[in-house]
Amino acid sequence: MKKVIAGAMAASLCLALGACSTEGGPGSSPEGDAPRVLNQVGWGGTTWNQNFNLFSPTGVSVTPGTAYIYEPLIRVNRIAAGEMMPYLAESWEFNDAGTELTFTLRDDVTWSDGEPFTSADVKFTWDLVLSGETPASYPFTSVETPDEHTVVVTYEEQSFQDLVGFSTRRIVPAHVWENQDVRTWTNPEPVGTGPATVSQFSPQQITFDIRDDWWGGESKGLDQLNMHAITGDATKSQIISGQVDYGTFGWANAQQEFVDLAPETNFYGFYPVGTADGLIFNVEQAPYNDVHVRRALRAAVDLETAAEIVAVGYGVPSEAALDPVVYADQLAPNSEHRYDPEYAQSELQAGGWTVSDGQLVGPDGQSHSLRYDVYQPYDEWVRTGTILADQWQRNLGLEVAVNQMADAPFSEASTTGNFGMLSSSPTGGSTPYQVFNSLGEETYVPLGEQAINNYGRWQNEEYNAIVTELAGIAPGSDDARARELSIRAQEILIDEAPFIATATAGWKAVINGQHWTNFPVPGEDDYAPNPTLPADAALTIMNIEYRE
C-alpha cells in the first residue's frame, strides 16, 4: 500500500485511500483465479442506453465510462495550475506566431483490437469535427499528418491558450468509425486506446475488462470494473455496506455518517480543480455597483464556519477565487479570505451607506432590499446561502432574502443578468488564462443579452490588458511574466470584489476501503479519481492496488 493518510491528516481524511473488491456476492474477496473487481457508482440516471458514440447527436445520452475507453493527447496536472503533461502525445510545440501546433505521438500505443494508433486516427477524429459531422466544434482550421507519429494543427490566429483543449479532445479509431454514420451510430462495442473494454452491458450495469496490453502499463491489481446505475439514498447505503466500493458524489455529514463507521478504511475526499464556487454581484445594478457595498458584504461573512457547517468537504478559496493548493506558487500575497465585521461596517460608512430596518440605505436616501438568488438543486449552495444571510444580519443588520430557484428560471436570470446577487462559479478553467479570461472583455455582454460567463457584467481596463497579454504567452515559455500577470490580476479582483468566493470547487470521492488502496491523494497527486475525466479516469483505475 503506497498512500496512507495518517497523523495530522487523519483528523480530516481519516484513512488509507481505498475501495473494496467483490466477486460473486457483495464484499467477497477473490479466490484462486477469480478476477479482482471494483464496483463503482455510475451516473446519468437509473437506466442506460448502449451508446458509446462520443459525438452522438441522436438525443440518446452517451453511456457512462467512455473516459476509460477513449483518450486525449495530453492531460492536465491537477495540482499545478496550467501545467500540461504528455499522454498519447509525448511532446508538442507551437510556432512563434502561435498559429501552428505540432504534436509528436507515442509510437507504442495500440487500439484495444490490436491495431496500431497513428496520426491517421487523430486526423480522422478531428476532421469529423471540422467537417461539421458532429455537434462539437474546434478552434483550429486544418489537420495535417507529415508521418505516422506527427500531427500538425493550424489556426487562423494566435492560439497559444488552446493547448489545454487537447486534454479533453479524445481520439477514436479511424478503421472502426470510417464506415459509420456518426450522426446515428451508437457504437455499441467501442474500441479505444484506454485501459478498459466493455465485456457486458445491461441498462443497470456495465462490466469493463481491464486490458493487459495497455500502453501505460499493466494494472496494479484490477481485473474488472462493474459500473452500477444507482442514485439517491441507495448510493450511500450500498457504499456503507460494501456492495459498491467507489463513487463520486457529494455527501453532507459524510464524516459522521460514513467515515466514522470505519475510519481505517472509509474515505470521503475533495479534489480541488483550482477555482471556486460562490456569489456573483451584478455590478451594473444598485447597490452592487458600489465597490464599498461589495467589499462590506464579502468581509462580513465567516467562510471557514460556513464550510464546517455545510460539511461536504470543500475549503475556503482565496478572495480572487483560486484554490490555494492548485495555485500554491501563483497566489497573490495576503489573498486569503478576510473575515472582519468591523472593516465591513467601515466600508459601508466610506460609501455613505447605512442600514435601516434591515434594508441598505444609500447616500441618496434610497432604500434597497437585498435578495440572494440560489440554485435550488445544489443543496450545499442553498445551505451556504442561508448561513451567509444569517451572518449579514448578525454583523451588518441586513435582512437578506435567500431565494431558491429551479433550473429554468435560474438559467434565465443568470444569463440575462436579471439578479442582484447570484450563486454560481465566479471563474472557470484549468489554466490561469482561462480563469481570468472568464471575467475578461471577451466574455462581457450587456444586460439582457445572453452571457456565457461573467454573469455579473464586471469589467476593468487594466485587467483586460492583463488577460490579453496572458493570451500571447505560449505555455511554459515565460513563466515568470505569466506569474507576475497572474498576481496582478488577483490583486485587481480582490480590490474590486465582483464576487465572493465561498468554497473551493472540485470533485468528490467516496470510497469503501476494505480491499483496494492507492487512490490519488487530494492535493498531492497530479490526477483525480473522477471517472468522467479523460486520462485521470484511466490513471485512477490502473494505479489502485489490492489489499492482500
Side-chain angles (χ1 to χ4, degrees), residues 336-349:
E336 63 273 5
H337 174 69
R338 175 183 182 183
Y339 171 54
D340 189 339
E342 290 186 3
Y343 168 76
Q345 293 169 3
S346 70
E347 276 294 306
L348 289 183
Q349 294 171 3

Side-chain angles (χ1 to χ4, degrees), residues 112-464:
S112 56
D113 62 1
E115 292 294 315
F117 164 78
T118 71
S119 59
D121 297 303
V122 179
K123 178 173 173 56
F124 171 82
T125 304
W126 293 346
D127 279 346
L128 274 180
V129 176
L130 297 180
S131 66
E133 292 292 309
T134 78
S137 62
Y138 294 157
F140 46 89
T141 57
S142 66
V143 185
E144 300 299 331
T145 55
D147 58 53
E148 286 193 346
H149 299 104
T150 305
V151 180
V152 181
V153 296
T154 302
Y155 301 85
E156 290 185 346
E157 57 186 12
Q158 180 265 102
S159 298
F160 290 122
Q161 301 304 327
D162 184 51
L163 179 62
V164 68
F166 293 95
S167 67
T168 57
R169 294 167 188 157
R170 291 177 282 173
I171 311 304
V172 301
H175 68 281
V176 175
W177 286 56
E178 59 189 354
N179 295 320
Q180 303 293 337
D181 182 350
V182 297
R183 293 166 293 187
T184 59
W185 185 46
T186 58
N187 189 22
E189 299 177 353
V191 173
T193 59
T197 60
V198 176
S199 64
Q200 296 182 49
F201 177 89
S202 76
Q204 288 79 39
Q205 179 177 316
I206 309 167
T207 298
F208 297 90
D209 286 341
I210 304 303
R211 296 173 57 183
D212 58 11
D213 61 344
W214 183 53
W215 63 269
E218 292 187 3
S219 161
K220 292 185 178 180
L222 185 66
D223 298 314
Q224 205 168 70
L225 185 153
N226 289 331
M227 186 176 292
H228 302 269
I230 52 176
T231 59
D233 290 340
T235 305
K236 295 180 181 179
S237 65
Q238 292 192 33
I239 284 278
I240 290 172
S241 68
Q243 291 175 279
V244 292
D245 316 321
Y246 161 49
T248 52
F249 56 91
W251 190 335
N253 300 314
Q255 182 68 38
Q256 293 76 28
E257 296 177 7
F258 175 63
V259 175
D260 287 348
L261 299 179
E264 294 302 316
T265 55
N266 290 358
F267 171 74
Y268 177 76
F270 190 88
Y271 295 78
V273 299
T275 53
D277 295 327
L279 178 155
I280 297 172
F281 295 113
N282 186 336
V283 301
E284 295 191 351
Q285 180 184 110
Y288 313 107
N289 56 352
D290 189 325
V291 68
H292 297 291
V293 171
R294 303 196 299 268
R295 291 174 185 157
L297 291 171
R298 183 180 64 190
V301 291
D302 180 358
L303 298 180
E304 292 284 356
T305 296
E308 292 174 5
I309 294 173
V310 175
V312 294
Y314 64 66
V316 178
S318 77
E319 287 196 328
L322 299 181
D323 189 289
V325 173
V326 178
Y327 280 84
D329 64 344
Q330 296 189 46
L331 283 182
N334 304 312
S335 61
E336 63 273 5
H337 174 69
R338 175 183 182 183
Y339 171 54
D340 189 339
E342 290 186 3
Y343 168 76
Q345 293 169 3
S346 70
E347 276 294 306
L348 289 183
Q349 294 171 3
W353 296 86
T354 59
V355 177
S356 177
D357 295 326
Q359 294 191 322
L360 193 59
V361 182
D364 58 359
Q366 183 175 354
S367 296
H368 299 268
S369 298
L370 304 189
R371 189 181 81 185
Y372 182 25
D373 293 328
V374 181
Y375 187 54
Q376 184 273 331
Y378 287 177
D379 178 66
E380 58 261 42
W381 285 14
V382 173
R383 288 187 291 142
T384 298
T386 302
I387 294 168
L388 300 188
D390 178 70
Q391 293 181 347
W392 286 322
Q393 196 284 325
R394 184 170 62 252
N395 293 324
L396 297 176
L398 289 169
E399 299 291 340
V400 179
V402 178
N403 178 43
Q404 299 185 38
M405 302 182 74
D407 186 75
F410 180 87
S411 296
E412 190 280 332
S414 59
T415 56
T416 62
N418 184 24
F419 66 89
M421 296 188 291
L422 182 84
S423 66
S424 189
S425 299
T427 59
S430 300
T431 68
Y433 168 77
Q434 285 185 319
V435 169
F436 299 130
N437 188 52
S438 62
L439 288 174
E441 59 185 337
E442 290 184 5
T443 64
Y444 175 83
V445 298
L447 286 175
E449 295 185 16
Q450 295 288 321
I452 298 176
N453 291 302
N454 196 5
Y455 297 145
R457 272 66 177 182
W458 177 78
Q459 284 289 276
N460 178 283
E461 288 188 9
E462 181 186 358
Y463 182 91
N464 289 338

Side-chain angles (χ1 to χ4, degrees), residues 1-19 254-255 258-269 271 509-514 516-522 524 547:
M1 182 174 62
K2 186 174 74 174
K3 301 185 179 91
V4 176
I5 298 175
M9 293 185 70
S12 58
L13 298 182
C14 300
L15 49 87
L17 296 179
Q255 182 68 38
F258 175 63
V259 175
D260 287 348
L261 299 179
E264 294 302 316
T265 55
N266 290 358
F267 171 74
Y268 177 76
Y271 295 78
V510 186
I511 301 165
N512 184 322
Q514 296 177 36
W516 292 100
T517 187
N518 207 38
F519 278 75
V521 176
E524 293 185 15
R547 291 182 189 267

Side-chain angles (χ1 to χ4, degrees), residues 33-177:
D33 294 329
R36 291 173 174 174
V37 183
L38 177 73
N39 286 288
Q40 177 186 328
V41 178
W43 57 95
T46 56
T47 60
W48 300 316
N49 294 293
Q50 192 169 357
N51 177 25
F52 293 95
N53 182 349
L54 293 179
F55 302 114
S56 178
T58 62
V60 178
S61 298
V62 176
T63 308
T66 58
Y68 296 136
I69 300 169
Y70 296 110
E71 300 180 299
L73 298 192
I74 62 176
R75 69 181 181 96
V76 176
N77 185 331
R78 300 298 174 186
I79 57 172
E83 182 183 355
M84 301 298 116
M85 304 180 72
Y87 203 66
L88 292 182
E90 62 183 17
S91 64
W92 54 87
E93 184 177 10
F94 273 102
N95 66 358
D96 290 342
T99 57
E100 188 175 279
L101 175 59
T102 301
F103 289 99
T104 300
L105 307 181
R106 296 179 62 104
D107 61 7
D108 58 352
V109 179
T110 61
W111 296 98
S112 56
D113 62 1
E115 292 294 315
F117 164 78
T118 71
S119 59
D121 297 303
V122 179
K123 178 173 173 56
F124 171 82
T125 304
W126 293 346
D127 279 346
L128 274 180
V129 176
L130 297 180
S131 66
E133 292 292 309
T134 78
S137 62
Y138 294 157
F140 46 89
T141 57
S142 66
V143 185
E144 300 299 331
T145 55
D147 58 53
E148 286 193 346
H149 299 104
T150 305
V151 180
V152 181
V153 296
T154 302
Y155 301 85
E156 290 185 346
E157 57 186 12
Q158 180 265 102
S159 298
F160 290 122
Q161 301 304 327
D162 184 51
L163 179 62
V164 68
F166 293 95
S167 67
T168 57
R169 294 167 188 157
R170 291 177 282 173
I171 311 304
V172 301
H175 68 281
V176 175
W177 286 56

Side-chain angles (χ1 to χ4, degrees), residues 81-82 329-330 470 473-486:
D329 64 344
Q330 296 189 46
L470 275 174
I473 298 177
S477 65
D478 192 347
D479 291 341
R481 179 55 178 165
R483 181 179 183 276
E484 181 181 340
L485 293 169
S486 175

Side-chain angles (χ1 to χ4, degrees), residues 496-548:
E496 287 283 305
F499 51 73
I500 303 175
T502 61
T504 51
W507 305 289
K508 306 171 185 73
V510 186
I511 301 165
N512 184 322
Q514 296 177 36
H515 292 102
W516 292 100
T517 187
N518 207 38
F519 278 75
V521 176
E524 293 185 15
D525 288 296
D526 58 25
Y527 61 99
N530 187 313
T532 68
L533 293 175
D536 294 63
L539 292 171
T540 296
I541 63 171
M542 296 303 280
N543 282 319
I544 60 174
E545 297 176 355
Y546 187 73
R547 291 182 189 267
E548 300 294 345

